[in-house]
PDB file of all heavy atoms in Angstrom:
ATOM      1  N   VAL G  16     -50.839  31.809 -56.010  1.00  0.00           N
ATOM      2  CA  VAL G  16     -50.490  30.654 -55.178  1.00  0.00           C
ATOM      3  C   VAL G  16     -51.611  30.416 -54.179  1.00  0.00           C
ATOM      4  O   VAL G  16     -51.977  31.298 -53.415  1.00  0.00           O
ATOM      5  CB  VAL G  16     -49.155  30.895 -54.437  1.00  0.00           C
ATOM      6  CG1 VAL G  16     -48.867  29.757 -53.485  1.00  0.00           C
ATOM      7  CG2 VAL G  16     -48.028  31.070 -55.430  1.00  0.00           C
ATOM      8  N   LYS G  17     -52.147  29.216 -54.203  1.00  0.00           N
ATOM      9  CA  LYS G  17     -53.205  28.860 -53.258  1.00  0.00           C
ATOM     10  C   LYS G  17     -52.562  28.396 -51.958  1.00  0.00           C
ATOM     11  O   LYS G  17     -51.650  27.580 -51.960  1.00  0.00           O
ATOM     12  CB  LYS G  17     -54.079  27.741 -53.820  1.00  0.00           C
ATOM     13  CG  LYS G  17     -54.779  28.112 -55.102  1.00  0.00           C
ATOM     14  CD  LYS G  17     -55.829  29.152 -54.838  1.00  0.00           C
ATOM     15  CE  LYS G  17     -56.567  29.446 -56.128  1.00  0.00           C
ATOM     16  NZ  LYS G  17     -57.334  30.621 -56.106  1.00  0.00           N
ATOM     17  N   ALA G  18     -53.030  28.931 -50.862  1.00  0.00           N
ATOM     18  CA  ALA G  18     -52.528  28.531 -49.549  1.00  0.00           C
ATOM     19  C   ALA G  18     -53.547  27.611 -48.912  1.00  0.00           C
ATOM     20  O   ALA G  18     -54.739  27.695 -49.185  1.00  0.00           O
ATOM     21  CB  ALA G  18     -52.302  29.761 -48.683  1.00  0.00           C
ATOM     22  N   MET G  19     -53.078  26.713 -48.080  1.00  0.00           N
ATOM     23  CA  MET G  19     -53.983  25.844 -47.348  1.00  0.00           C
ATOM     24  C   MET G  19     -53.784  26.083 -45.862  1.00  0.00           C
ATOM     25  O   MET G  19     -52.723  26.508 -45.430  1.00  0.00           O
ATOM     26  CB  MET G  19     -53.763  24.373 -47.720  1.00  0.00           C
ATOM     27  CG  MET G  19     -52.413  23.824 -47.354  1.00  0.00           C
ATOM     28  SD  MET G  19     -52.112  22.138 -47.955  1.00  0.00           S
ATOM     29  CE  MET G  19     -53.505  21.255 -47.413  1.00  0.00           C
ATOM     30  N   VAL G  20     -54.833  25.839 -45.094  1.00  0.00           N
ATOM     31  CA  VAL G  20     -54.784  26.041 -43.654  1.00  0.00           C
ATOM     32  C   VAL G  20     -54.711  24.676 -42.992  1.00  0.00           C
ATOM     33  O   VAL G  20     -55.476  23.772 -43.319  1.00  0.00           O
ATOM     34  CB  VAL G  20     -56.025  26.820 -43.167  1.00  0.00           C
ATOM     35  CG1 VAL G  20     -56.018  26.937 -41.667  1.00  0.00           C
ATOM     36  CG2 VAL G  20     -56.059  28.187 -43.812  1.00  0.00           C
ATOM     37  N   VAL G  21     -53.765  24.530 -42.062  1.00  0.00           N
ATOM     38  CA  VAL G  21     -53.549  23.275 -41.358  1.00  0.00           C
ATOM     39  C   VAL G  21     -53.734  23.540 -39.865  1.00  0.00           C
ATOM     40  O   VAL G  21     -53.169  24.479 -39.326  1.00  0.00           O
ATOM     41  CB  VAL G  21     -52.132  22.735 -41.642  1.00  0.00           C
ATOM     42  CG1 VAL G  21     -51.878  21.443 -40.895  1.00  0.00           C
ATOM     43  CG2 VAL G  21     -51.923  22.533 -43.135  1.00  0.00           C
ATOM     44  N   ASP G  22     -54.556  22.716 -39.203  1.00  0.00           N
ATOM     45  CA  ASP G  22     -54.763  22.838 -37.762  1.00  0.00           C
ATOM     46  C   ASP G  22     -53.722  22.008 -37.027  1.00  0.00           C
ATOM     47  O   ASP G  22     -53.590  20.806 -37.269  1.00  0.00           O
ATOM     48  CB  ASP G  22     -56.168  22.367 -37.374  1.00  0.00           C
ATOM     49  CG  ASP G  22     -57.233  23.314 -37.868  1.00  0.00           C
ATOM     50  OD1 ASP G  22     -57.016  24.538 -37.768  1.00  0.00           O
ATOM     51  OD2 ASP G  22     -58.281  22.858 -38.340  1.00  0.00           O
ATOM     52  N   THR G  23     -52.976  22.646 -36.136  1.00  0.00           N
ATOM     53  CA  THR G  23     -51.960  21.964 -35.343  1.00  0.00           C
ATOM     54  C   THR G  23     -52.197  22.266 -33.868  1.00  0.00           C
ATOM     55  O   THR G  23     -53.087  23.045 -33.518  1.00  0.00           O
ATOM     56  CB  THR G  23     -50.546  22.423 -35.725  1.00  0.00           C
ATOM     57  OG1 THR G  23     -50.382  23.788 -35.356  1.00  0.00           O
ATOM     58  CG2 THR G  23     -50.282  22.273 -37.217  1.00  0.00           C
ATOM     59  N   LEU G  24     -51.398  21.662 -33.006  1.00  0.00           N
ATOM     60  CA  LEU G  24     -51.510  21.926 -31.575  1.00  0.00           C
ATOM     61  C   LEU G  24     -51.230  23.389 -31.243  1.00  0.00           C
ATOM     62  O   LEU G  24     -51.754  23.928 -30.289  1.00  0.00           O
ATOM     63  CB  LEU G  24     -50.538  21.027 -30.807  1.00  0.00           C
ATOM     64  CG  LEU G  24     -50.886  19.549 -30.851  1.00  0.00           C
ATOM     65  CD1 LEU G  24     -49.713  18.713 -30.385  1.00  0.00           C
ATOM     66  CD2 LEU G  24     -52.104  19.274 -30.004  1.00  0.00           C
ATOM     67  N   GLY G  25     -50.397  24.029 -32.038  1.00  0.00           N
ATOM     68  CA  GLY G  25     -50.057  25.419 -31.816  1.00  0.00           C
ATOM     69  C   GLY G  25     -51.036  26.396 -32.437  1.00  0.00           C
ATOM     70  O   GLY G  25     -50.855  27.600 -32.363  1.00  0.00           O
ATOM     71  N   GLY G  26     -52.076  25.895 -33.065  1.00  0.00           N
ATOM     72  CA  GLY G  26     -53.057  26.743 -33.724  1.00  0.00           C
ATOM     73  C   GLY G  26     -53.049  26.501 -35.217  1.00  0.00           C
ATOM     74  O   GLY G  26     -52.415  25.585 -35.725  1.00  0.00           O
ATOM     75  N   ARG G  27     -53.773  27.343 -35.931  1.00  0.00           N
ATOM     76  CA  ARG G  27     -53.854  27.217 -37.390  1.00  0.00           C
ATOM     77  C   ARG G  27     -52.598  27.783 -38.038  1.00  0.00           C
ATOM     78  O   ARG G  27     -52.104  28.835 -37.646  1.00  0.00           O
ATOM     79  CB  ARG G  27     -55.072  27.944 -37.919  1.00  0.00           C
ATOM     80  CG  ARG G  27     -56.348  27.292 -37.480  1.00  0.00           C
ATOM     81  CD  ARG G  27     -57.534  27.945 -38.098  1.00  0.00           C
ATOM     82  NE  ARG G  27     -58.391  26.846 -38.520  1.00  0.00           N
ATOM     83  CZ  ARG G  27     -59.333  26.936 -39.411  1.00  0.00           C
ATOM     84  NH1 ARG G  27     -59.561  28.075 -40.003  1.00  0.00           N
ATOM     85  NH2 ARG G  27     -60.055  25.895 -39.726  1.00  0.00           N
ATOM     86  N   VAL G  28     -52.117  27.072 -39.065  1.00  0.00           N
ATOM     87  CA  VAL G  28     -50.928  27.478 -39.796  1.00  0.00           C
ATOM     88  C   VAL G  28     -51.292  27.551 -41.264  1.00  0.00           C
ATOM     89  O   VAL G  28     -51.930  26.644 -41.802  1.00  0.00           O
ATOM     90  CB  VAL G  28     -49.778  26.463 -39.595  1.00  0.00           C
ATOM     91  CG1 VAL G  28     -48.562  26.848 -40.400  1.00  0.00           C
ATOM     92  CG2 VAL G  28     -49.430  26.332 -38.126  1.00  0.00           C
ATOM     93  N   GLN G  29     -50.913  28.636 -41.922  1.00  0.00           N
ATOM     94  CA  GLN G  29     -51.160  28.790 -43.350  1.00  0.00           C
ATOM     95  C   GLN G  29     -49.942  28.275 -44.107  1.00  0.00           C
ATOM     96  O   GLN G  29     -48.817  28.696 -43.845  1.00  0.00           O
ATOM     97  CB  GLN G  29     -51.407  30.249 -43.695  1.00  0.00           C
ATOM     98  CG  GLN G  29     -51.705  30.473 -45.157  1.00  0.00           C
ATOM     99  CD  GLN G  29     -52.032  31.922 -45.448  1.00  0.00           C
ATOM    100  OE1 GLN G  29     -52.511  32.644 -44.595  1.00  0.00           O
ATOM    101  NE2 GLN G  29     -51.758  32.334 -46.660  1.00  0.00           N
ATOM    102  N   VAL G  30     -50.165  27.354 -45.026  1.00  0.00           N
ATOM    103  CA  VAL G  30     -49.081  26.730 -45.790  1.00  0.00           C
ATOM    104  C   VAL G  30     -49.230  27.107 -47.252  1.00  0.00           C
ATOM    105  O   VAL G  30     -50.315  27.009 -47.817  1.00  0.00           O
ATOM    106  CB  VAL G  30     -49.129  25.190 -45.641  1.00  0.00           C
ATOM    107  CG1 VAL G  30     -48.015  24.553 -46.446  1.00  0.00           C
ATOM    108  CG2 VAL G  30     -49.054  24.782 -44.189  1.00  0.00           C
ATOM    109  N   SER G  31     -48.139  27.541 -47.854  1.00  0.00           N
ATOM    110  CA  SER G  31     -48.117  27.811 -49.285  1.00  0.00           C
ATOM    111  C   SER G  31     -46.759  27.375 -49.823  1.00  0.00           C
ATOM    112  O   SER G  31     -45.815  27.174 -49.067  1.00  0.00           O
ATOM    113  CB  SER G  31     -48.367  29.283 -49.577  1.00  0.00           C
ATOM    114  OG  SER G  31     -47.375  30.068 -48.971  1.00  0.00           O
TER     115      SER G  31
END
Side-chain angles (χ1 to χ4, degrees):
V16 175
K17 299 291 183 195
M19 64 186 309
V20 176
V21 179
D22 290 318
T23 67
L24 292 166
R27 293 185 136 200
V28 178
Q29 181 176 333
V30 179
S31 60

